[in-house]
Amino acid sequence: AEGNPKSEQGATASERKKSSEEGGKCRILVVDDHDANLLMTQSMLHKTGRFQTEVAHDGVEAVKMASSGSYDLVLMDCNMPNMDGWCATEAIRGGDGPCKNVPVVALTANAMAGDMEYCLSRGMDDYIAKPITRVKLLEVVDRNLNVNKRASTS
């Protein structure tokens, strides 16, 4: 069911990769410790019909999923228990998993001067301040997916 944040986690990594290679939907890992934020973000993405999502509830889970799964983009909350989004991004970048070079977009309530620069300095590729609007989310997702496609074809 689309309202269940874990609804698409049943597919194996090879099935997900095959779907993506066959022109399937772009695969996005959404990381947030609040179920309401996960549901809202997934809903905005699913309504386009262009994206498949999986969720992680903290940085530890995100690093594990990114090291074994194939994603086109990671949307990463910054302030989470167990491991924050900045440390999770550094761990993903420092590993040798399939998501090492996948764009990571910060989703954060931090909207003060310098917050975007801090996220970028920690290895994130882009930044969205909460509350997130559908227009802003899709703009940033499309921008980062297009950058990723250009880099993989050159």
Side-chain angles (χ1 to χ4, degrees):
E2 191 160 290
N4 180 353
K6 294 187 178 184
S7 64
E8 295 184 38
Q9 287 185 326
T12 65
S14 62
E15 289 168 339
R16 290 187 302 257
K17 186 174 188 215
K18 182 178 178 188
S19 172
S20 182
E21 289 170 350
E22 292 174 350
K25 298 175 182 180
C26 289
R27 301 197 58 253
I28 299 177
L29 177 60
V30 182
V31 187
D32 201 304
D33 58 320
H34 294 285
D35 285 338
N37 291 340
L38 289 170
L39 289 171
M40 181 190 67
T41 303
Q42 283 188 296
S43 176
M44 286 188 231
L45 293 168
H46 288 171
K47 283 182 181 178
T48 69
R50 298 170 30 219
F51 306 108
Q52 211 178 4
T53 61
E54 291 189 26
V55 300
H57 293 90
D58 62 36
V60 173
E61 190 177 358
V63 171
K64 183 178 178 184
M65 292 175 73
S67 69
S68 62
S70 176
Y71 301 99
D72 299 299
L73 181 75
V74 177
L75 297 173
M76 181 81 72
D77 183 25
C78 294
N79 296 302
M80 297 179 289
N82 301 320
M83 179 186 284
D84 64 41
W86 302 292
C87 290
T89 300
E90 289 176 341
I92 291 167
R93 297 285 187 235
D96 59 0
C99 293
K100 180 177 182 167
N101 297 311
V102 166
V104 176
V105 175
L107 302 179
T108 182
N110 300 339
M112 303 296 288
D115 287 334
M116 180 175 181
E117 292 77 12
Y118 181 72
C119 291
L120 298 176
S121 76
R122 297 289 299 266
M124 294 173 164
D125 298 282
D126 212 333
Y127 169 97
I128 303 174
K130 294 177 182 177
I132 298 166
T133 65
R134 184 171 186 260
V135 169
K136 183 64 176 173
L137 176 65
L138 295 177
E139 173 188 310
V140 172
V141 166
D142 286 340
R143 177 173 62 232
N144 283 278
L145 287 173
N146 287 333
V147 166
N148 196 31
K149 284 180 183 174
R150 283 195 302 269
S152 67
T153 58
S154 51

